[in-house]
């Protein structure tokens, strides 16, 4: 039998959210606007978000906070955004899952993730040598800001000279 | 608070539920208090076990009851189901004077009971038990997708939330209009 989680006292609900691992927390935030706002207001902390761009997809690695006391899973979560698809794929140790959200583009996925982990930014954006130059516009669109840009030494001169 | 209001009903056992004896008997005789829930079944609980509850502990500190007075006046928790209060009392007895372990596997597995337990424990202000319960609530959706979480936790969709909000606004508007009309009637 289901329970009405949103009927729990606010403090208890926030505590329950803090006990969730990152994947479950993101899943909760995607349920509705209300759950997204609850996730935002929980001030959930993470260690960092790293993005790596490959041939036709971007891999987002979300590393959990080392000081988060309650969460059940201390491992990083990997999310994959394919350039040609609006959905995301996740690896949560029980096979690859596909999550879709109506009208969500790749930019929306990134913006959503950044918004629920308060004050978070992409710590490092890595461009691998297999990333086609033609995809860079797309990358720039979905990840407009990052603290550190790392371009593989094997990347072409054209890609390396490209201004980010 | 009269004993007739708070005393055991016909549903109550002849003798209140007794707390398990601790292995090392304290030198000073331990004081006991009595609590009952919605079902009026009275539970006898030691002061040591009740220390887990900040609410009851506060009530005891303020009342300064003798054991006789406490027996005649059980603390009434009419908002808590009898079986839930029994769980809380059992937990307090089991963890009396002991450091709380990092995991507690004795919590109810039924989701609806867990929800009631969270509400009761929150009301009684039992911090450690609340921690376990909230963790258990979080574990209910471990590895689930957003759709599955919405179903398990009965989360309304955006459309349902909007409809409920409209309905609430409409009701508030009607109530305000009713109050205005009543005030105008009084003025006449």
């Amino acid at each position: 039998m289901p329970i009405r989680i949103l009927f729990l006292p606010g403090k208890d609900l926030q505590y329950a959210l803090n006990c969730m691992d990152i994947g479950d927390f993101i899943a909760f935030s995607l349920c509705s606007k209300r759950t997204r706002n609850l996730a935002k207001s929980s001030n959930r902390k993470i260690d960092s978000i790293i993005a790596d761009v490959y041939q036709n997809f971007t891999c987002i690695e979300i590393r959990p906070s080392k000081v988060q006391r309650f969460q059940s899973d201390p491992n990083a979560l990997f999310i994959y955004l394919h350039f040609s698809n609006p959905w995301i794929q996740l690896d949560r140790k029980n096979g690859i899952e596909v999550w879709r959200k109506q009208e969500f583009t790749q930019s929306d996925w990134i913006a959503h993730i950044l918004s629920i982990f308060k004050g978070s930014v992409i710590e490092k954006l890595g461009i691998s040598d297999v990333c086609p130059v033609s995809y860079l516009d797309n990358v720039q669109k979905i990840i407009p800001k990052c603290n550190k840009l790392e371009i593989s030494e094997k990347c072409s001169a054209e890609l390396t000279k490209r201004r980010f | 608070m009269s004993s007739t209001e708070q005393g055991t009903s016909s549903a109550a056992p002849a003798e209140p539920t007794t707390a398990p004896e601790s292995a090392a008997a304290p030198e000073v005789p331990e004081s006991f208090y009595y609590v009952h829930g919605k079902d009026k079944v009275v539970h006898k609980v030691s002061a040591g076990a009740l220390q887990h509850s900040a609410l009851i502990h506060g009530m005891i500190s303020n009342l300064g009851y003798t054991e006789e007075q406490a027996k005649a006046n059980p603390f009434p928790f009419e908002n808590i189901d009898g079986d839930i209060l029994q769980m809380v009392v059992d937990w307090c007895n089991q963890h009396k004077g002991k450091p709380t372990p990092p995991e507690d596997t004795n919590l109810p597995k039924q989701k609806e009971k867990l929800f009631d337990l969270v509400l009761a424990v929150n009301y009684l202000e039992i911090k450690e038990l609340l921690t376990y319960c909230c963790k258990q609530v979080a574990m209910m959706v471990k590895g689930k997708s957003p759709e599955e979480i919405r179903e398990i936790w009965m989360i309304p969709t955006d459309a349902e939330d909007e409809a409920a909000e409209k309905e609430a606004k409409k009701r508030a508007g009607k109530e305000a209009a009713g109050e205005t009309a009543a005030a105008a009637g009084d003025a006449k």
Side-chain angles (χ1 to χ4, degrees), chain A residues 3 15 21 24 31 33 92, chain B residues 131 142 144 150 153 158:
Chain A
I3 68 164
Y15 189 87
D21 65 36
D24 299 336
C31 289
K33 283 179 190 166
R92 291 199 288 174
Chain B
T131 303
K142 184 146 183 66
K144 304 289 185 206
R150 188 183 291 130
W153 279 354
D158 287 340

Side-chain angles (χ1 to χ4, degrees), chain A residues 1-159:
Chain A
M1 187 180 166
I3 68 164
R4 291 181 185 276
I5 188 81
L6 302 181
F7 280 54
L8 281 181
K11 210 175 135 195
D12 303 341
L13 177 56
Q14 293 296 344
Y15 189 87
L17 296 185
N18 278 329
C19 293
M20 296 167 89
D21 65 36
I22 290 175
D24 299 336
F25 182 77
I26 295 174
F28 171 78
S29 74
L30 290 166
C31 289
S32 70
K33 283 179 190 166
R34 205 163 146 202
T35 60
R36 184 192 60 199
N37 291 336
L38 282 166
K40 273 187 191 179
S41 61
S42 73
N43 291 325
R44 178 69 184 250
K45 287 183 176 57
I46 49 166
D47 184 56
S48 56
I49 301 179
I50 310 285
D52 284 300
V53 186
Y54 297 96
Q55 193 169 12
N56 57 357
F57 68 93
T58 304
C59 172
I60 307 287
E61 179 187 350
I62 305 173
R63 295 178 181 168
S65 167
K66 290 170 189 123
V67 292
Q68 189 82 35
R69 287 174 299 148
F70 320 115
Q71 66 190 3
S72 53
D73 189 355
N75 297 317
L77 175 73
F78 292 90
I79 299 175
Y80 304 95
L81 290 100
H82 286 255
F83 291 143
S84 52
N85 299 327
W87 60 79
I88 58 169
Q89 289 185 316
L90 295 96
D91 186 2
R92 291 199 288 174
K93 294 180 204 156
N94 46 0
I96 298 285
E97 294 168 61
V98 176
W99 288 1
R100 293 176 176 82
K101 187 148 171 80
Q102 222 177 358
E103 292 166 11
F104 250 43
T105 62
Q106 292 171 355
S107 309
D108 295 324
W109 283 110
I110 300 280
H112 180 89
I113 291 166
L114 291 176
S115 74
I116 58 170
F117 298 109
K118 216 168 187 176
S120 62
V121 290
I122 304 281
E123 188 56 39
K124 191 201 87 181
L125 172 62
I127 310 287
S128 78
D129 57 324
V130 289
C131 173
V133 178
S134 55
Y135 279 139
L136 288 183
D137 281 341
N138 197 15
V139 172
Q140 226 170 339
K141 204 174 146 193
I142 66 168
I143 305 173
K145 275 186 195 170
C146 65
N147 281 350
K148 192 174 154 192
L149 176 64
E150 195 175 276
I151 299 173
S152 164
E153 58 184 350
K154 289 178 188 167
C155 282
S156 66
E158 187 194 354
L159 189 147

